[in-house]
DNA sequence: GGGTGCCTTGACAGCGCTGTCATGCTTGCC
DNA sequence: GGCAAGCATGACAGCGCTGTCAAGGCACCC
């Protein structure tokens, strides 16, 4: 049978409550007592029973990571970061794939909360952009942190997507491109607008008029990249560069151009966003914007835990991005 | 305040124990009583407190999914399947990324078990092939299910990888190829051997002698596919087809050939294994073997739950594969 | 009619922790 | 020296459920 708190208490010559104090880093324990307890804990390899702890403390020590199927790569990275933070704070993590477009979305989340009773939630895009859910959570007074979103008053982690999108667009301009198209992301995803705004900003700064046919809708999927590329290649005066709002779509664009016999980057430059593995696994490798997804997961979880554990307000941390310039972008040949 | 079992019992006019019986599908409850209880449960939207349940029942109602970073795509699929099964049985799932090569691997798992106390484990490759861990789990008498492995006496789910590998190799033979190379998977992964065996079997059946330089080591990564392809292309008489033991490596092979100016499938046919999204996201799309990963996750979890919940032995279920023939394989041109 | 055995139900203890509150001890200060 | 204030610690109840065991009710049989 495994050790219980009572065994530790007896061997250390203190009450169970004192052991509990030591284990939960509560104040007002003499240093000498603390050490004695910790020694017995080590000796017996004592681990508190999480169920008993949760029951008595009326908290689950659990946070839930909610996602709605952006790329598996992205989710796995975030998940890894969140787990890292949870481990460091004796919390556990549960994951929940969801369909944020479903009519019963909020009810589904509500049911999940009712069953598993997490102490807090981590929301990833596009779930971060679901006002009805956020309102519901606020009403329940259930803390949540958002990843990569700029919800007013929210805590979590964010990135300046607009500036990043502008920067990679400017990179294309500097290479000599003028006819630069943009494939928009999924409309339910707040990042789509921000990236589009960045594209427009950079184009405006370069003094280039954006023709309406250069801006085509996408859905963050490989397939939508293929469709967008076909549409753009069919224009009378096709673009010489395409900035897709994520890597999957950029890979789709490259696939479609290869399928049509175009060469990248000679005939067309292609840029993506996110630096997911797929950006390195197509040929040529895609120039893109790297966001530190794993760190973002970790930071979001840490902000949430600060809030849950210590009642601190928590903040919205902005993380840096970096341009990853690879082989899919080059100076403009076709117009030369 | 949320409803407790006592509230349900009072309103239904029964004891708490009877409510407990109904909720846990225990036998010997009169039908009429059961219905009355369930009605009150619905009315009050009662959900048992998982911590109290675990504490009293001395079980965690938790299963742990252990993985060591094969592709994120694969893990996400398995994870989705396992979650599905858990949801259907009121269990929860925790996930755990691990490094199965680390010296303290077994100790890490042990510590995880000690802390979270899962009622069972789901092992995914290559963790399924770690004899020391399996021995340890048997000794602890902690049930586990394996995915895609053929451990004697284990429960879970498997696929006939050897036959699948033989079949896709035969497909290349039928296209007219004779110089067919194979890129082996990661050596710690049991599937690598099985796929290699299938390749050899098909070659033998076709009466083709396998030259030793055609069989090159890989590691299931995109980069290892690139390296293997470069090695094979440098041969005096390079192969006309390459069967890589997974899709990531097949994508790497295609990348390397494009980089070297070879055309697929005109100059070289390439086949993969697994049917992960990457197989459709490179150009040309890769011919591969599809295994129903999500179903496999679900089935493995179901077998494990049968064992945990009902003490049934559980079995090793074999699932079917299908060949996905796409554009990366074609009849042999170079030798014609 | 009475005994046997099964079905159905309930009383109650207790799972292993933490919150509350009380207690004794130390320290600092006038 | 005496008193207030704060620190360190422990006793105890109770979190919400399930396991155990006992008991009552009922059907069925000889």
């Amino acid at each position: 049978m495994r050790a219980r708190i009572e065994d530790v208490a007896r061997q250390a010559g203190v009450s169970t409550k004192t052991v509990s104090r030591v284990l939960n880093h509560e104040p007002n324990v003499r240093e000498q007592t603390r050490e004695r307890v910790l020694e017995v804990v080590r000796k017996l390899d004592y681990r508190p029973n999480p169920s008993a702890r949760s029951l008595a403390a009326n908290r689950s020590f659990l946070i839930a990571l909610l996602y709605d199927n952006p790329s598996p790569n992205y989710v796995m990275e975030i998940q890894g970061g969140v787990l890292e933070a949870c481990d460091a704070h004796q919390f556990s993590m549960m994951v929940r794939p969801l369909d944020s477009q479903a009519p019963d979305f909020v009810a589904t989340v509500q049911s999940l909360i009712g069953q598993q009773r997490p102490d807090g939630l981590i929301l990833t895009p596009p779930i971060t952009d679901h006002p009805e859910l956020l309102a519901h959570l606020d009403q329940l007074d259930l803390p949540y942190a958002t990843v990569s979103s700029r919800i007013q008053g929210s805590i979590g982690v964010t990135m300046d997507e607009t500036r990043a999108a502008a920067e990679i667009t400017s990179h294309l301009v500097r290479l000599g491109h003028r006819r630069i198209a943009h494939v928009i992301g999924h409309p339910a995803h707040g990042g789509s607008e921000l990236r589009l705004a960045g594209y427009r900003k950079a184009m405006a700064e370069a003094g280039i008029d954006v023709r309406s046919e250069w801006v085509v809708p996408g859905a963050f999927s490989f397939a939508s990249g293929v469709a967008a590329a076909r549409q753009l290649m069919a224009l009378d005066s096709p673009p010489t560069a395409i900035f897709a709002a994520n890597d999957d779509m950029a890979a789709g664009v490259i696939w479609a151009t290869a399928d049509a016999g175009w060469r990248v980057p000679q005939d067309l430059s292609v840029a993506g966003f996110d630096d997911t593995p797929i950006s390195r696994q197509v040929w040529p490798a895609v120039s893109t914007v790297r966001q530190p997804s794993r760190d973002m997961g970790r930071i979001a979880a840490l902000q949430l835990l600060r809030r849950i554990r210590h009642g601190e307000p928590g903040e919205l941390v902005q993380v840096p991005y970096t341009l990853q310039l690879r082989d899919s972008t080059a100076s403009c040949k076709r117009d030369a």
Side-chain angles (χ1 to χ4, degrees), chain A:
Chain A
M1 209 47 206
R2 62 186 324 135
R4 292 156 308 156
I5 198 170
E6 198 191 322
D7 304 321
V8 177
R10 195 176 322 111
Q11 286 212 29
V14 296
S15 70
T16 59
K17 180 63 212 184
T18 297
V19 177
S20 169
R21 284 197 183 92
V22 172
L23 261 26
N24 292 290
H25 307 102
E26 286 177 32
N28 302 337
V29 178
R30 219 187 331 164
E31 189 50 33
Q32 184 187 333
T33 312
R34 175 186 309 279
E35 276 165 20
R36 189 149 33 98
V37 168
L38 286 176
E39 193 168 329
V40 177
V41 165
R42 267 191 299 277
K43 187 175 132 206
L44 299 183
D45 190 31
Y46 168 72
R47 326 282 184 85
N49 179 316
S51 305
R53 212 157 84 106
S54 299
L55 182 60
N58 195 28
R59 302 203 280 145
S60 62
F61 298 94
L62 211 208
I63 68 182
L65 170 64
L66 310 188
Y67 60 89
D68 177 10
N69 177 50
S71 82
N73 291 307
Y74 179 74
V75 176
M76 283 300 285
E77 287 293 309
I78 298 281
Q79 183 171 306
V82 172
L83 262 175
E84 226 174 83
C86 285
D87 284 353
H89 291 263
Q90 318 256 47
F91 261 65
S92 51
M93 178 194 80
M94 57 166 295
V95 294
R96 199 82 237 168
L98 293 163
D99 174 7
S100 62
Q101 301 297 303
D104 60 347
F105 171 66
V106 174
T108 306
V109 176
Q110 197 168 357
S111 152
L112 148 78
I113 294 169
Q115 270 175 51
Q116 313 257 6
R117 312 180 190 210
D119 290 335
L121 304 179
I122 307 266
L123 310 181
T124 58
I127 292 175
T128 42
D129 306 314
H130 197 290
E132 200 189 332
L133 176 67
L134 300 186
H136 187 72
L137 295 178
D138 285 337
Q139 187 196 320
L140 284 179
D141 204 27
L142 183 63
Y144 59 89
T146 58
V147 174
S148 196
S149 172
R150 315 202 200 175
I151 311 287
Q152 280 286 329
S154 160
I155 65 172
V157 64
T158 187
M159 205 193 82
D160 192 339
E161 306 202 16
T162 302
R163 207 153 70 81
E167 217 165 286
I168 198 155
T169 306
S170 299
H171 161 68
L172 294 169
V173 171
R174 272 195 308 275
L175 288 172
H177 296 276
R178 308 287 295 175
R179 299 205 305 279
I180 303 173
H182 178 63
V183 187
I184 311 175
H186 194 287
H189 187 312
S192 302
E193 271 178 52
L194 301 175
R195 295 173 195 184
L196 172 60
Y199 159 79
R200 289 196 184 283
K201 182 159 157 260
M203 294 293 272
E205 278 170 7
I208 306 174
D209 259 6
V210 174
R211 292 197 212 144
S212 64
E213 66 263 32
W214 291 350
V215 178
V216 299
F220 278 150
S221 66
F222 184 85
S224 68
V226 172
R230 289 187 169 147
Q231 189 177 328
L232 289 166
M233 288 187 293
L235 293 179
D236 285 342
S237 164
T240 64
I242 299 179
F243 163 42
N246 80 344
D247 290 336
D248 289 72
M249 295 197 298
V253 169
I254 288 179
W255 192 95
T257 54
D259 195 47
W262 290 36
R263 291 162 308 158
V264 173
Q266 293 88 337
D267 301 325
L268 184 79
S269 281
V270 179
F273 204 103
D274 286 345
D275 193 40
T276 45
I278 195 176
S279 65
R280 277 153 277 145
Q281 297 175 349
V282 294
W283 195 90
V286 183
S287 295
T288 186
V289 176
R290 165 168 163 71
Q291 45 179 334
S293 306
R294 191 183 174 88
D295 291 343
M296 292 173 80
R298 191 170 43 75
I299 293 169
L302 288 176
Q303 294 306 318
L304 180 61
L305 289 171
R306 271 180 65 186
R307 173 85 165 264
I308 294 173
R309 291 172 57 103
H310 311 294
E312 295 169 21
E315 28 180 334
L316 192 57
V317 177
Q318 185 165 107
V319 294
Y321 59 85
T322 47
L323 256 48
Q324 291 287 339
L325 301 181
R326 294 197 269 246
D327 303 330
S328 67
T329 49
S331 45
C332 183
K333 298 263 173 54
R334 231 165 68 230
D335 278 1

